[in-house]
Amino acid sequence: MKTWTDHVTDGWGRWVVPYAALWLTMLVGGVVVVTLALLGSEVYDNVVDDAGLANLDKPALAFAQQLRTPELNAFVTGFTNIGGGIGMPILGSLLTAWLIFLSRSWRPLILVGGAAAVSTSATAFSKRVVGRARPDHADAVPPFETSPAFPSGHTLNTAVVIGVVVYLACLHVQRTIVRVGLITAGVIFIVGMGLSRVYLGHHWMTDVTAAWLLGLAWVGVVILAHQLFHTLRHRKHAGPAPTFDNPLTGREPASRAASGTRPPEGTSSSG
């Protein structure tokens, strides 16, 4: 009968060791992105003064105010709530569950969950460092928000979660038109989320722009981690990483082993 230490050792060898490259790359990349966010916050705080506001932020806010109507305000408020502290975790969880079902692997949970954790940390740290004020309530659409403005958390977290989900989803489809559709929908959603923050007067345009750039950088790191993971496993001839159908490290399903084939990297069988 196995003891608890045997179970821990078995779990470590089954689920941690095969993902070592993935964990390490995301950890290092996450530290780099959070550091860049903090350094960028310092630089941003020093260079964006009243002139900067006048050149980009205030004209963007004034243009948004001209577009407002009661009906459009209600629609944009509902849409922007999807990227908030309640909406995005729910949406991200549903999309991650769908990806787990498609891939029969826990890897989407690692990638999406890890990416979201880093983006949330980068947002919190940057807001504390900069402490930038949001537009005046007189220029915003209620309900108002009181946390610091830089960077836009809705925009950054949406860019990261949707970006990683779209990347993983594209690995499970073969038709180019479907991939183009997924990418287009993701870009529209991410851009729309950022612009909704400016439209409602909850953020300055530079808050949103910085969030887009930081989100894009972090999604790039996550994709790099995932590709490095596959490359290292391929070089070691270790076969696919553990999945629901193939839970044992270094062992392939009997049907695949008998046929002598291995799924191509980046497909649904390998995550």
Side-chain angles (χ1 to χ4, degrees), residues 12-133:
W12 178 271
R14 180 177 297 179
W15 298 107
V16 177
V17 175
Y19 296 108
L22 191 64
W23 287 115
L24 182 60
T25 306
M26 289 187 66
L27 177 61
V28 174
V31 172
V32 171
V33 169
V34 172
T35 302
L36 286 175
L38 295 176
L39 293 176
S41 300
E42 291 287 355
V43 174
Y44 177 92
D45 193 34
N46 291 328
V47 301
V48 178
D49 50 16
D50 290 338
L53 288 173
N55 290 334
L56 178 61
D57 288 339
K58 289 183 178 178
L61 178 60
F63 178 73
Q65 289 176 301
Q66 297 175 4
L67 301 177
R68 291 175 185 167
T69 64
E71 295 77 15
L72 188 56
N73 290 353
F75 173 79
V76 176
T77 298
F79 173 73
T80 203
N81 287 338
I82 299 175
I86 297 177
M88 185 47 59
I90 294 175
L91 177 61
S93 297
L94 292 175
L95 292 174
T96 302
W98 171 62
L99 290 170
I100 290 173
F101 174 78
L102 285 181
S103 64
R104 303 290 293 176
S105 167
W106 292 111
R107 204 166 313 140
L109 179 61
I110 297 173
L111 290 168
V112 178
V118 170
S119 69
T120 302
S121 299
T123 300
F125 290 160
S126 298
K127 285 179 179 292
R128 289 186 179 183
V129 170
V130 176
R132 186 189 192 193

Side-chain angles (χ1 to χ4, degrees), residues 6 28 50 146 157 162 168 184 187 194 203 216 258:
D6 293 328
V28 174
D50 290 338
T146 58
N157 295 325
I162 299 302
L168 292 175
T184 301
V187 170
H203 280 284
L216 179 63

Side-chain angles (χ1 to χ4, degrees), residues 8-25 105-107 110 225-234 236-243 246-251 270:
V8 171
T9 302
D10 181 62
W12 178 271
R14 180 177 297 179
W15 298 107
V16 177
V17 175
Y19 296 108
L22 191 64
W23 287 115
L24 182 60
T25 306
S105 167
W106 292 111
R107 204 166 313 140
I110 297 173
H226 191 232
Q227 292 299 317
L228 178 60
F229 169 79
H230 280 295
T231 300
L232 292 178
R233 288 193 64 82
H234 178 71
K236 292 179 180 179
H237 304 287
T243 65
N246 176 35
L248 297 180
T249 303
R251 292 180 57 186
S270 60

Side-chain angles (χ1 to χ4, degrees), residues 94-195:
L94 292 175
L95 292 174
T96 302
W98 171 62
L99 290 170
I100 290 173
F101 174 78
L102 285 181
S103 64
R104 303 290 293 176
S105 167
W106 292 111
R107 204 166 313 140
L109 179 61
I110 297 173
L111 290 168
V112 178
V118 170
S119 69
T120 302
S121 299
T123 300
F125 290 160
S126 298
K127 285 179 179 292
R128 289 186 179 183
V129 170
V130 176
R132 186 189 192 193
R134 295 175 183 264
D136 292 337
H137 288 176
D139 298 322
V141 176
F144 306 119
E145 300 183 27
T146 58
S147 62
F150 180 88
S152 168
H154 283 64
T155 305
L156 178 55
N157 295 325
T158 295
V160 169
V161 172
I162 299 302
V164 175
V165 166
V166 168
Y167 162 70
L168 292 175
C170 285
L171 297 180
H172 294 281
V173 296
Q174 301 299 322
R175 298 182 62 185
T176 301
I177 189 172
V178 177
R179 291 181 175 179
V180 172
L182 287 171
I183 294 172
T184 301
V187 170
I188 291 174
F189 190 87
I190 292 169
V191 172
M193 184 60 64
L195 294 180

